[in-house]
Amino acid sequence: MSAAIYLLGVIGVLLYTYLKWTFSFWERKGFPCNRGSIPFGALDSVRRKKRSFGMAIYDMYLSTKKPFIGIYLTLRPALLVRDAQLAYDMLVKDFASFHDRGIYVDEKHDALSANLFSMEGKSWKTMRTKMSPSFTSGKLKAMFSTSEDVADKMVAHLNKNLQQSGATEIDMKNLMACYGIDIIASTILGLDVDSFTQPENELRRISKMVTDNKAENILRGTTLFLYPGLEKLFVRLGWRPPGMKEMQSLVHHTMTLREKTNVERRDLMQLLLQLRNTGQINNDDGIWSAQATVNSVKTLSKDNVVAQMFLFFIAGYETTASATAFTLYELAQNPDVLAKLLDDINQTLAKHNGELNYDSIQDMKYLELCVMETTRKYPGLPILNRMCNQDYPLPNSNLVLKKGTEIIISLLGMQRDEEYFPDPLRYQPERFTEEHRNYTPAAYMPFGVGPRQCIAARMGKLNVKIALTKILTNFKVESQEKREIEFTVHGVPLLPKGGVPVRLSKKQ
């Protein structure tokens, strides 16, 4: 018994020493820091189910006015960068020092992990270069009718379910999740899905598997971002993240069908098949064909394609749904903004002979300002992260950020900071106009900035604008009392607690 007690005592001393040493990392380097609570650091409120990951980092942002501060993401030290210009320089001017995210990826043994978000170094650069032609203006214009078809299904669904007179409260987040899933299914995967009439379809099921607040999802999210070595072990043991096997089966089936039958569609799947079979994606004047010679070498494996499809599906539908829902919520609370937007839409459509198309959407300038303001106040991802790839001297100090150290940028913090955006909680699209500009441009990066900014940002914004235009031209958004949205304690994105209620009525 005494030997066991002695052993436990030794283990306790070693654990205490390890934790004290780990949580003195920033002090030993001479950095200002906020240790938080050992052993969870800045994420202790996440453990206590008081805050989501993104909101916990936001709390750290608010805890100081210093340009940067050392924090701990459980046992992993990270530098929280608060100064907008420093953050911008790290992502743009000094990109060579911060070109990777430092999250799990294993290209050699796990092709499904090698998506554009997680890939590193030359592999990322090569993939990014090859995929960039997929999101040109010409490609987006070609996909427009596909997106509009989905928006028309949404309008039909609302017409069927709204009361004949009076207003009906709609959970816009749920409605736009259906829209987002169907949009991504059509424009990315090339699948005809109707989540409005068939809410339990395969893609909706996959989306729920990924976003549900289950212990498995929490664990895998933690290992993916904070402990990539542990995530690699899980995958090697055959334990894949939820939804991945289902997406793999779906994409493999679609690819095989298209390659056997030579079926062609104007979607991202077709472009990736073209890249797989020919090694490149044609420019806007080129054809969309995925055909190749029989003996051609496949430049992408099927699982390489699955990895990209899974990324664009999960990231695309959630950001589209949130941005559209939050915009409608703000419009309902700001009737002056709503009136200006309606005027912009009506005048622009009149100028284009009443036709809604890619060019008329691009011509709606106030609509663009509204989407910019929404993504400022509600960034799709509230944080950005990068890995320091080489020692980096921090400006205006004698401190050096060592290679292998993670940096965190709170987009929510910067984009709601009155130092950068006066009256930050006020929904004010005019702040982005030349004549009323009153913000710090370096602090606005809702889709990231620099070489690793979101490759599909233009597609996402276009789909948001299509949905908004269809809603506003077919229905009346009723005014409602101002109230800030509360966010759940789950996940990384800003997930609204209790949905996003907006009252709609049919136009008389």
Side-chain angles (χ1 to χ4, degrees), residues 8-107:
L8 288 174
V10 170
I11 292 174
V13 170
L14 291 176
L15 179 61
Y16 175 81
T17 303
Y18 169 74
L19 290 175
K20 290 290 287 184
W21 176 258
T22 298
F23 279 82
S24 66
F25 176 88
W26 291 115
E27 291 161 314
R28 287 185 278 112
K29 303 292 183 183
F31 281 71
C33 70
N34 184 335
R35 289 196 304 175
S37 300
I38 299 175
F40 296 98
L43 303 182
D44 188 61
S45 60
V46 179
R47 175 192 67 84
R48 293 184 288 112
K49 297 183 179 180
K50 298 293 185 182
R51 299 293 250 176
S52 65
F53 189 101
M55 293 302 292
I57 301 302
Y58 178 59
D59 291 340
M60 289 291 107
Y61 182 96
L62 296 177
S63 72
T64 183
K65 292 292 185 181
K66 296 181 184 297
F68 50 80
I69 184 173
I71 63 174
Y72 297 89
L73 305 176
T74 63
L75 304 177
R76 187 172 180 176
L79 187 72
L80 175 61
V81 180
R82 294 187 74 263
D83 182 79
Q85 191 59 54
L86 175 58
Y88 182 88
D89 288 344
M90 286 176 162
L91 299 177
V92 181
K93 182 171 67 72
D94 301 321
F95 175 75
S97 298
F98 301 95
H99 55 73
D100 296 333
R101 297 187 190 275
I103 64 176
Y104 167 71
V105 63
D106 185 3
E107 291 184 53

Side-chain angles (χ1 to χ4, degrees), residues 273-294:
L273 285 174
Q274 185 183 98
L275 178 59
R276 166 176 157 82
N277 291 333
T278 70
Q280 64 181 6
I281 294 173
N282 292 332
N283 59 29
D284 292 340
D285 297 325
I287 59 174
W288 286 60
S289 174
Q291 298 179 28
T293 60
V294 175

Side-chain angles (χ1 to χ4, degrees), residues 79 197 386 415:
L79 187 72
T197 60
R386 295 289 189 273
Q415 294 183 176

Side-chain angles (χ1 to χ4, degrees), residues 48-309:
R48 293 184 288 112
K49 297 183 179 180
K50 298 293 185 182
R51 299 293 250 176
S52 65
F53 189 101
M55 293 302 292
I57 301 302
Y58 178 59
D59 291 340
M60 289 291 107
Y61 182 96
L62 296 177
S63 72
T64 183
K65 292 292 185 181
K66 296 181 184 297
F68 50 80
I69 184 173
I71 63 174
Y72 297 89
L73 305 176
T74 63
L75 304 177
R76 187 172 180 176
L79 187 72
L80 175 61
V81 180
R82 294 187 74 263
D83 182 79
Q85 191 59 54
L86 175 58
Y88 182 88
D89 288 344
M90 286 176 162
L91 299 177
V92 181
K93 182 171 67 72
D94 301 321
F95 175 75
S97 298
F98 301 95
H99 55 73
D100 296 333
R101 297 187 190 275
I103 64 176
Y104 167 71
V105 63
D106 185 3
E107 291 184 53
K108 185 177 181 181
H109 299 101
D110 181 17
L112 293 173
S113 71
N115 62 62
L116 203 55
F117 186 83
S118 60
M119 292 173 75
E120 299 180 343
K122 291 182 179 179
S123 297
W124 163 80
K125 186 175 182 180
T126 299
M127 181 64 75
R128 174 87 184 202
T129 301
K130 288 182 176 181
M131 289 192 66
S132 291
S134 302
F135 301 97
T136 60
S137 297
K139 294 295 192 296
L140 297 182
K141 185 179 292 189
M143 294 180 189
F144 187 91
S145 61
T146 303
S147 298
E148 188 180 17
D149 287 344
V150 175
D152 287 337
K153 289 181 183 179
M154 176 180 66
V155 170
H157 171 77
L158 285 171
N159 272 321
K160 182 179 179 180
N161 288 276
L162 290 182
Q163 299 175 13
Q164 290 302 316
S165 61
T168 304
E169 184 173 282
I170 302 293
D171 177 4
M172 281 298 164
K173 183 58 193 296
N174 183 62
L175 178 74
M176 293 305 164
C178 293
Y179 170 78
I181 286 173
D182 289 6
I183 278 280
I184 299 303
S186 297
T187 60
I188 301 294
L189 294 163
L191 300 174
D192 292 320
V193 176
D194 189 348
S195 298
F196 302 107
T197 60
Q198 298 174 326
E200 299 304 319
N201 63 70
E202 180 70 5
L203 287 177
R204 194 75 193 271
R205 191 171 69 86
I206 292 174
S207 73
K208 290 180 179 179
M209 292 176 66
V210 175
T211 58
D212 278 354
N213 185 46
K214 295 179 179 178
E216 181 182 4
N217 281 343
I218 295 172
L219 174 62
R220 299 310 288 269
T222 301
T223 57
L224 177 71
F225 282 93
L226 300 182
Y227 301 103
L230 187 56
E231 178 68 13
K232 181 182 291 188
L233 175 62
F234 288 157
V235 173
R236 293 285 182 89
L237 293 174
W239 185 22
R240 292 203 171 276
M244 181 62 79
K245 289 183 179 179
E246 290 76 8
M247 180 62 76
Q248 182 185 39
S249 176
L250 185 65
V251 173
H252 278 194
H253 174 75
T254 304
M255 290 176 66
T256 300
L257 184 65
R258 288 201 192 184
E259 291 183 329
K260 282 184 177 179
T261 62
N262 289 328
V263 170
E264 296 177 16
R265 288 187 54 146
R266 291 178 177 266
D267 53 39
L268 185 62
M269 171 73 82
Q270 196 71 31
L271 296 175
L272 286 177
L273 285 174
Q274 185 183 98
L275 178 59
R276 166 176 157 82
N277 291 333
T278 70
Q280 64 181 6
I281 294 173
N282 292 332
N283 59 29
D284 292 340
D285 297 325
I287 59 174
W288 286 60
S289 174
Q291 298 179 28
T293 60
V294 175
N295 295 321
S296 65
V297 177
K298 306 296 186 184
T299 61
L300 288 178
S301 70
K302 285 189 174 183
D303 281 346
N304 288 145
V305 176
V306 174
Q308 312 314 319
M309 293 289 102

